[in-house]
């Protein structure tokens, strides 16, 4: 039986890799929550900003981003996976809620 420790140790070699992945997951949840609540443009901008910060393209304080920029693969992977999952969930939720609403049929009357 696989335990949490064996699964995590098979995915992440070091603690900084694990922390980078956790930060990516947290950032993806933030993007998803913004998207879910209707701030679509802001969430996509934030997703892009997080991604560019992780890759080091956008200049920022390296003090807080050392872990993320050292292992951007983990951060970016979990950021994208979580964000796409949340956005897809919102799309599915919207379509399901629209299909459950009763449709009203309006008949136009023509006066002769």
């Amino acid at each position: 039986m696989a335990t949490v420790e064996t699964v995590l140790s098979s995915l992440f070699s070091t603690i900084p890799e694990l922390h980078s992945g956790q930060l990516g997951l947290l950032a993806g949840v933030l993007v998803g929550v913004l998207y879910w609540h209707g701030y679509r443009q802001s969430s996509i901008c934030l997703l892009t900003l997080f991604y560019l910060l992780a890759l080091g393209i956008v200049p920022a304080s390296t003090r807080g981003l050392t872990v993320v920029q050292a292992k951007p693969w983990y951060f970016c992977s979990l950021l994208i996976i979580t964000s796409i999952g949340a956005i897809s969930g919102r799309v599915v939720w919207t379509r399901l809620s629209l299909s459950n609403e009763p449709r009203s049929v309006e008949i136009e009357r023509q006066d002769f």
Side-chain angles (χ1 to χ4, degrees):
M1 177 103 179
T3 63
V4 174
E5 183 180 342
T6 58
V7 172
L8 288 177
S9 66
S10 67
L11 294 174
F12 304 104
S13 304
T14 62
I15 297 296
E17 291 174 359
L18 176 64
H19 286 289
S20 180
Q22 288 173 332
L23 289 172
L25 183 71
L26 184 63
V29 167
L30 178 62
V31 169
V33 166
L34 282 174
Y35 191 88
W36 192 274
H37 287 285
Y39 300 102
R40 289 172 174 81
Q41 187 175 7
S42 299
S43 67
I44 299 301
C45 289
L46 189 63
L47 173 65
T48 305
L49 180 69
F50 280 144
Y51 195 80
L52 294 176
L53 280 171
L55 296 178
I57 296 173
V58 175
S61 169
T62 57
R63 182 177 174 197
L65 294 173
T66 304
V67 171
V68 172
Q69 289 179 347
K71 302 288 185 178
W73 166 251
Y74 297 103
F75 179 85
C76 292
S77 297
L78 287 169
L79 171 68
I80 298 296
I81 290 168
T82 308
S83 299
I84 289 175
I87 291 170
S88 300
R90 176 63 180 166
V91 170
V92 169
W93 182 268
T94 303
R95 289 189 187 209
L96 288 176
S97 64
L98 288 177
S99 67
N100 290 336
E101 291 181 5
R103 297 182 185 189
S104 62
V105 177
E106 295 181 15
I107 299 174
E108 294 181 21
R109 295 184 181 192
Q110 296 178 356
D111 293 330
F112 291 103

